[in-house]
Amino acid sequence: MCLILLAMLVLTPSAFAQWELLNDESTLNFVSVKNSKVGEIHYFKKLSGVIEKNGAVSINIDLSSVETNIPIRNDRMKTILFEIADFADAKITGTVNVDDVSSLAVGGTYSDSIKLTLSLHGVSQDLNSDVQVTKLTQQSVLVTTLRPILINAEDFNLADGIEKLRSVAGLSTISTAVPVTYSLVFKK
């Protein structure tokens, strides 16, 4: 009994706190390829999320925050591709082992393959993501993709939207295979 009380005194409440995603320090990027040879990197400006005490991960992507560096293309992607009037956001859920994160020394890293569920455009699909976790400070961690995740637009009912974008822009092709990478910072 004394050992349990001692352990409770030694462990600070922050050891069991949830981790909050820091939007300004995080990125989620995707690449579009048009006319079979021109690749462009895009990203979302508004991300939010948490890692709960039990390791449950929940990330929200505000699809209206898409940034392509061309305002008319931003608008077209919002309305034609993502259809934000009906599908305002995408969600990523999964589970991580919080004990692995807690046991890291500051500056330490480990790699893992985690199963995620992406809910996008009314469809949910399971994906695997190879990640590297780095403990930046006692209160913050960085989670990055080791390899891009390939999202097939057809799996999320987005192929028709890509075809409409292709037609509006007068392009010969836009790939429906979309590489995605992320770098996410969480803080207690």
Side-chain angles (χ1 to χ4, degrees), residues 87 91 117-125 154-157:
F87 306 102
K91 295 192 185 311
T117 300
L118 172 61
S119 298
L120 171 63
H121 209 252
V123 178
S124 293
Q125 294 278 330
E154 293 173 358
D155 293 344
F156 294 94
N157 296 329

Side-chain angles (χ1 to χ4, degrees), residues 61-80:
I61 304 161
D62 180 346
L63 297 176
S64 71
S65 74
V66 67
E67 183 55 65
T68 67
N69 295 314
I70 299 176
I72 187 77
R73 184 168 52 196
N74 290 349
D75 293 339
R76 288 176 178 167
M77 288 185 84
K78 291 174 195 179
T79 58
I80 297 171

Side-chain angles (χ1 to χ4, degrees), residues 19-78:
W19 297 77
E20 194 82 30
L21 187 141
L22 299 179
N23 182 70
D24 292 343
E25 297 179 34
S26 300
T27 61
L28 191 147
N29 306 292
F30 65 100
V31 177
S32 66
V33 178
K34 61 185 181 185
N35 293 337
S36 301
K37 60 184 176 182
V38 178
E40 297 174 306
I41 301 169
H42 315 295
Y43 64 98
F44 294 95
K45 295 188 282 187
K46 293 182 183 174
L47 307 171
S48 59
V50 295
I51 301 173
E52 300 287 348
K53 296 177 207 175
N54 64 0
V57 177
S58 176
I59 298 170
N60 190 72
I61 304 161
D62 180 346
L63 297 176
S64 71
S65 74
V66 67
E67 183 55 65
T68 67
N69 295 314
I70 299 176
I72 187 77
R73 184 168 52 196
N74 290 349
D75 293 339
R76 288 176 178 167
M77 288 185 84
K78 291 174 195 179

